[in-house]
């Protein structure tokens, strides 16, 4: 089994900061691209940021310059540092990982359970 466990969500005032963490555990051979997505009420899930195993990053335009994604490969953990938060950042944030469970196995996608981020104005 593979689990992605997120932490770090909460309530913060506009302009504040939060740091999300997501650790992948279980029977894992290699974790490739990891990322964060979010879903606000009544909206579709959208990409926030992704990071490859080698450290290449990609951000949604709405968070560029405010959010930073990073990872620790030895811990199979990805982070999302969120600064200058805005009320429109309010959403459930989901961790995502593309990984292989065994050498030679296909790459599959796994999701965390989600963590709520609420930004008050």
């Amino acid at each position: 089994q593979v689990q992605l466990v997120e932490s770090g969500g909460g309530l913060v005032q506009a302009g504040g900061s939060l740091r999300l963490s997501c650790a992948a555990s279980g029977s894992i051979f290699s974790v490739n691209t990891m990322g964060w997505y979010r879903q606000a009420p009544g909206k579709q899930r959208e990409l926030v940021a992704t990071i490859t195993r080698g450290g290449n990053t990609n951000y949604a335009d709405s968070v560029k310059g405010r959010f930073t994604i990073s990872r620790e490969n030895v811990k199979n953990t990805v982070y999302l540092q969120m600064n200058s938060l805005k009320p429109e950042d309010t959403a459930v944030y989901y961790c995502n990982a593309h990984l292989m469970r065994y050498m030679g196995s296909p790459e599959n996608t796994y999701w965390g359970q989600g963590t709520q981020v609420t930004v008050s104005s």
Side-chain angles (χ1 to χ4, degrees), residues 36-82:
W36 291 94
Y37 291 71
R38 67 186 181 186
Q39 188 167 18
K43 294 189 177 181
Q44 288 189 329
R45 191 173 297 189
E46 64 177 4
L47 173 105
V48 176
T50 62
I51 184 168
T52 67
R53 186 172 182 83
N56 293 319
T57 58
N58 179 52
Y59 294 93
D61 287 342
S62 59
V63 306
K64 282 180 182 177
R66 300 188 299 121
F67 292 9
T68 301
I69 189 170
S70 61
R71 65 187 286 172
E72 288 187 81
N73 290 335
V74 68
K75 294 182 179 180
N76 290 333
T77 299
V78 63
Y79 307 96
L80 186 68
Q81 178 66 44
M82 304 185 293

Side-chain angles (χ1 to χ4, degrees), residues 1-120:
Q1 284 284 30
V2 173
Q3 281 191 314
L4 271 60
V5 179
E6 299 133 337
S7 60
L11 173 64
V12 65
Q13 288 190 328
S17 298
L18 283 174
R19 189 189 193 214
L20 305 183
S21 299
C22 171
S25 64
S27 178
I28 297 172
F29 173 71
S30 177
V31 182
N32 300 321
T33 299
M34 302 184 80
W36 291 94
Y37 291 71
R38 67 186 181 186
Q39 188 167 18
K43 294 189 177 181
Q44 288 189 329
R45 191 173 297 189
E46 64 177 4
L47 173 105
V48 176
T50 62
I51 184 168
T52 67
R53 186 172 182 83
N56 293 319
T57 58
N58 179 52
Y59 294 93
D61 287 342
S62 59
V63 306
K64 282 180 182 177
R66 300 188 299 121
F67 292 9
T68 301
I69 189 170
S70 61
R71 65 187 286 172
E72 288 187 81
N73 290 335
V74 68
K75 294 182 179 180
N76 290 333
T77 299
V78 63
Y79 307 96
L80 186 68
Q81 178 66 44
M82 304 185 293
N83 299 328
S84 302
L85 282 160
K86 304 175 181 180
E88 51 263 43
D89 294 318
T90 295
V92 177
Y93 283 70
Y94 295 91
C95 172
N96 167 280
H98 300 270
L99 60 89
M100 294 187 293
R101 294 192 62 191
Y102 310 101
M103 183 184 293
S105 68
E107 183 179 278
N108 289 313
T109 302
Y110 293 84
W111 292 89
Q113 79 284 358
T115 185
Q116 177 70 46
V117 171
T118 302
V119 184
S120 63

